[in-house]
Amino acid sequence: MELPFDVGALYNRKEQIHAVFGGQQQGGISTPKEHPLVIAFTGEAGVSHGYHDFWDDDEVFHYFGEGQVGDMKYVAGNRAIGEHVKDGKTLVVFQMMGKGRPYRYLGKFMCQSSYVQPGTPDREGQPRSAIVFRLRSLEASLGLAASETDQAEIDAAIDDVGATSTRRETEVRTKQRLFRERLIGVEKGCRLTGIEDLRFLRASHIKPWADSTHSERVDGENGLLLAPHADLLFDRGWISFSKEANLIVAQDLPLNVQNSLKLDLRQGRAYGSFSQRQLEYLEFHRDTVFRRCTHKYSIANQCDS
């Protein structure tokens, strides 16, 4: 089924989704009557109740079904997701960006199976059995590019020769894709520019790929969504963030470059808050990537004098 949506782009739910296809305009699952389509919305609704949708290590998306109070039932929207292949319907997923905000299109998915998770809190905080669907993305990517350093790692794997390199390339691509999938659940957009459309962003590791363990490489909290020019500054250590989430700018970053980038690079500017895990990664970035950059250019200046 052809759809007028680009993966990673943002859409108004009422005007650009339901006005075109119909379906319920409230709730987490919409089932248009006039189109062979099931629309699932993922986001922060479940977090307030103590659970959330997530990606496992095999790139399977675990999506909690609908039903706010009591045990979830395999009816209505839940049945529509579980039986969408049998019913000949396309399943698509949108990410909620916040109340009154547009929705990010994550693409087409296929439901592989489902399971019941007991002890999941409902809207009133009471434990109940929740239905969780295992969804597999049918998209090659989220429309989100890798950072400069991560792309170099992918290119190096591709340039190698032999069966071992083929396995290595597959492993790197899988880890990179899983990292991006998890990252968009942590970061909504670029902190420096405010851009949230994934087609214009890069997924940047805070603690570089080469310095990270296996689990750190696929940890969404070990990353930032950044516009390309902001990613270059962060990836190469020209900027970082303090433990208070304030911007730190290298003294050697030329003023004419700062002005030409059209970014607000005021030293100490606040950029929201970071999770505790992100702060730990940022400490590494400050001590290693940021200082490596400033130290290198300090030595260069000494040599020129």
Side-chain angles (χ1 to χ4, degrees):
M1 181 180 182
E2 292 298 322
L3 297 169
F5 306 122
D6 288 337
V7 176
L10 304 174
Y11 298 92
N12 179 279
R13 178 167 178 172
K14 179 180 179 180
E15 298 175 1
Q16 295 177 290
I17 301 176
H18 295 299
V20 177
F21 294 100
Q24 303 90 322
Q25 298 188 27
Q26 302 293 328
I29 303 173
S30 183
T31 53
K33 294 181 179 180
E34 303 300 324
H35 298 273
L37 191 66
V38 179
I39 309 172
F41 297 91
T42 180
E44 302 171 346
V47 176
S48 61
H49 303 312
Y51 63 90
H52 61 89
D53 305 332
F54 65 93
W55 294 89
D56 67 22
D57 289 340
D58 295 319
E59 282 193 280
V60 174
F61 188 55
H62 294 239
Y63 179 82
F64 283 75
E66 64 180 5
Q68 296 185 358
V69 179
D71 293 342
M72 291 184 184
K73 306 296 183 182
Y74 197 72
V75 297
N78 290 335
R79 184 208 169 278
I81 288 182
E83 305 294 329
H84 80 94
V85 175
K86 177 182 176 181
D87 294 340
K89 295 185 177 183
T90 299
L91 172 64
V92 298
V93 177
F94 284 85
Q95 180 186 10
M96 306 173 188
M97 303 298 288
K99 187 175 181 179
R101 307 287 306 285
Y103 289 69
R104 178 186 284 152
Y105 180 56
L106 301 185
K108 298 177 181 179
F109 284 69
M110 177 179 291
C111 180
Q112 296 183 319
S113 62
S114 64
Y115 61 95
V116 175
Q117 180 168 304
T120 303
D122 65 12
R123 185 184 61 191
E124 298 175 353
Q126 298 300 312
R128 49 83 175 267
S129 293
I131 298 174
V132 187
F133 298 95
R134 295 185 180 94
L135 309 182
R136 174 74 68 177
S137 174
L138 301 180
E139 306 294 343
S141 71
L142 293 170
L144 178 63
S147 69
E148 182 182 51
T149 300
D150 286 357
Q151 188 59 52
E153 179 73 17
I154 295 174
D155 293 341
I158 295 175
D159 289 341
D160 288 339
V161 179
T164 301
S165 67
T166 301
R167 290 194 297 270
R168 171 64 174 162
E169 177 189 347
T170 301
E171 177 186 350
V172 171
R173 288 190 183 280
T174 299
K175 288 182 179 178
Q176 288 285 355
R177 193 165 54 242
L178 179 57
F179 165 66
R180 296 177 213 177
E181 290 163 344
R182 288 176 170 171
L183 173 58
I184 65 170
V186 177
E187 293 282 297
K188 292 293 180 62
C190 175
R191 289 177 182 252
L192 275 72
T193 65
I195 296 173
E196 295 181 332
D197 189 323
L198 296 182
R199 298 173 298 173
F200 304 97
L201 296 176
R202 290 181 178 176
S204 185
H205 276 90
I206 299 174
K207 184 177 182 180
W209 174 279
D211 299 309
S212 295
T213 64
H214 167 74
S215 61
E216 290 173 338
R217 288 175 176 175
V218 296
D219 184 359
E221 292 189 278
N222 183 20
L224 295 175
L225 290 173
L226 296 170
H229 53 331
D231 169 65
L232 183 146
L233 294 177
F234 185 78
D235 200 42
R236 296 190 182 182
W238 289 108
I239 62 173
S240 190
F241 295 92
S242 71
K243 60 182 179 181
E244 293 82 17
N246 296 330
L247 185 68
I248 305 173
V249 182
Q251 295 180 352
D252 303 280
L253 182 59
L255 184 59
N256 66 317
V257 172
Q258 295 188 46
N259 295 334
S260 298
L261 287 172
K262 305 300 182 183
L263 293 172
D264 188 348
L265 297 176
R266 288 175 293 169
Q267 192 83 248
R269 182 187 173 191
Y271 278 97
S273 62
F274 293 104
S275 69
Q276 182 57 45
R277 188 71 173 146
Q278 283 180 304
L279 290 174
E280 294 171 3
Y281 287 125
L282 283 169
E283 182 178 5
F284 184 94
H285 186 271
R286 290 193 304 272
D287 292 344
T288 305
V289 183
F290 182 73
R291 290 186 178 179
R292 181 191 301 158
C293 171
T294 56
H295 177 68
K296 179 175 66 175
Y297 282 91
S298 175
I299 294 176
N301 289 337
Q302 292 176 15
C303 292
D304 290 339
S305 61

